[in-house]
Amino acid sequence: MDKIESTSSQVLNGAEQADSTTSLWTDFKALIKTGIINSNLLTAFGGFWLALYMTNEQFVDHIPTFIYMMIGSGLVIAGGCVINNYYDRDIDHIMQRTKKRPTVTGSIPLSVVLTMGISFTVLGVGFLFLTTWQAAAIGMFGWFAYVVLYTMWSKRRYTINTAIGSFSGAVPPLIGYAAIDGGLSTEAWIVFAIMFIWQTPHFLALAMKKAEDYKAANIPMLPSVYGFGITKRQIVVYTACLLPLPFYLTTLGTVFVVIASVLNVGWLAIGIAGFFMKDDLKWATWMFVYSLNYLMIFFIALVVFTTPAIF
């Protein structure tokens, strides 16, 4: 009987340890915001690929540079996200979508969180320096824009916080490009502009869905302060601003320009449809989901239609 109880105890202890490990891993992923990292690494890869295409370089000749760039970008982004969580711990407990973050629950000590944020940032910049100093400088600018300009300065003060934060989300393609060619081309800046403009409709749609959360936390997001009407107009204005930009990327081929233009027209059409829909939150969901698909299709198309020239 003692042996049976001992075996049962070992099984239970093992299950508890497994659950604890799984929970810690889940908390870690929430802390570094893996969704943000993945989407930004996609755009960084797109910028890297674009640079290879524009400079007539071969991917196989730059594999170490690619690895350094991806690791460095991921670490810098993770570092910024961790510090964002650390700084926002006093308001995250108020909002439904953030109240289970480890900085709120205490599952990861705050001293460890801060150390992780700083360490990831320093390591990330170090890896980027192994490519070019321009890539490292752009990476640091993106980190500064997200942590200082957005998180610490504008997020709790101004409704234009989304536009200010857009700088950080738009720099990964420049990091990827600069890892190959520090003299950024016009095409690199156009992709940056597209990503900068893309951020606002994407996040304003999310802010509409989470308007009550932001209001409770006293964060001045546009929908929470001025309502859905002006937010919808702002979203449509931003999506309309995307329309001419693909025509500055004709060096990537007609098919790519057509695909990018169709994405823009489709997004604008859904945006305009919002003025005729009664369910604003349903419309906001459509816009948010479309923005995610826009990002993925745009950069996959960029890679696909420049691949023959690289290999």
Side-chain angles (χ1 to χ4, degrees):
M1 183 66 71
D2 290 340
K3 290 182 178 179
I4 294 175
E5 290 178 351
S6 177
T7 302
S8 300
S9 178
Q10 289 174 359
V11 171
L12 290 173
N13 288 337
E16 289 175 357
Q17 290 176 358
D19 288 343
S20 177
T21 301
T22 301
S23 178
L24 183 60
W25 177 242
T26 301
D27 285 342
F28 175 75
K29 290 193 296 181
L31 191 63
I32 65 173
K33 303 184 182 181
T34 52
I36 291 178
I37 292 175
N38 291 338
S39 60
N40 279 279
L41 286 182
L42 170 65
T43 65
F45 174 68
F48 184 88
W49 204 260
L50 177 63
L52 292 176
Y53 177 80
M54 297 302 300
T55 57
N56 293 314
E57 294 287 338
Q58 301 294 311
F59 177 75
V60 293
D61 296 331
H62 295 279
I63 291 177
T65 301
F66 171 72
I67 293 172
Y68 296 148
M69 185 277 295
M70 291 294 280
I71 293 175
S73 298
L75 286 171
V76 169
I77 296 165
C81 289
V82 170
I83 294 177
N84 169 271
N85 280 338
Y86 177 85
Y87 189 83
D88 280 348
R89 65 192 185 278
D90 62 322
I91 58 174
D92 279 346
H93 71 280
I94 301 172
M95 298 186 287
Q96 286 294 120
R97 71 185 185 89
T98 58
K99 68 180 184 179
K100 292 185 179 180
R101 285 177 176 173
T103 44
V104 176
T105 64
S107 58
I108 300 178
L110 290 176
S111 59
V112 174
V113 172
L114 183 58
T115 300
M116 286 171 55
I118 295 172
S119 299
F120 286 162
T121 301
V122 173
L123 283 172
V125 173
F127 272 103
L128 291 178
F129 260 116
L130 295 176
T131 61
T132 65
W133 70 266
Q134 292 95 331
I138 294 170
M140 274 305 302
F141 170 75
W143 182 94
F144 178 81
Y146 183 64
V147 173
V148 179
L149 298 183
Y150 171 69
T151 301
M152 297 181 179
W153 175 55
S154 65
K155 181 177 180 178
R156 307 189 192 197
R157 291 180 174 87
Y158 311 111
T159 55
I160 60 168
N161 53 19
T162 303
I164 293 171
S166 295
F167 283 103
S168 60
V171 297
L174 294 185
I175 295 173
Y177 196 101
I180 293 294
D181 178 15
L184 301 171
S185 68
T186 299
E187 289 78 4
W189 285 109
I190 293 299
V191 174
F192 167 84
I194 290 172
M195 286 308 305
F196 178 80
I197 295 171
W198 174 91
Q199 306 279 326
T200 296
H202 170 76
F203 284 110
L204 285 182
L206 177 61
M208 287 179 65
K209 290 163 59 65
K210 304 296 181 182
E212 293 304 316
D213 265 2
Y214 285 120
K215 187 178 294 185
N218 200 31
I219 298 174
M221 298 298 289
L222 192 65
S224 304
V225 177
Y226 294 109
F228 287 174
I230 191 171
T231 303
K232 291 163 75 172
R233 291 195 293 273
Q234 286 291 305
I235 287 175
V236 169
V237 168
Y238 273 92
T239 51
C241 289
L242 288 169
L243 291 175
L245 295 180
F247 297 100
Y248 292 94
L249 297 173
T250 54
T251 50
L252 305 186
T254 302
V255 177
F256 174 79
V257 172
V258 169
I259 290 173
S261 297
V262 169
L263 286 172
N264 289 339
V265 171
W267 204 6
L268 180 60
I270 296 175
I272 293 173
F275 295 121
F276 304 96
M277 288 181 63
K278 294 181 180 180
D279 191 336
D280 289 333
L281 293 181
K282 182 178 181 179
W283 174 81
T285 299
W286 286 4
M287 291 295 286
F288 182 74
V289 171
Y290 190 97
S291 70
L292 295 175
N293 286 284
Y294 179 108
L295 185 72
M296 180 177 66
I297 294 170
F298 180 91
F299 280 95
I300 288 176
L302 186 153
V303 171
V304 168
F305 292 105
T306 56
T307 295
I310 294 173
F311 288 99

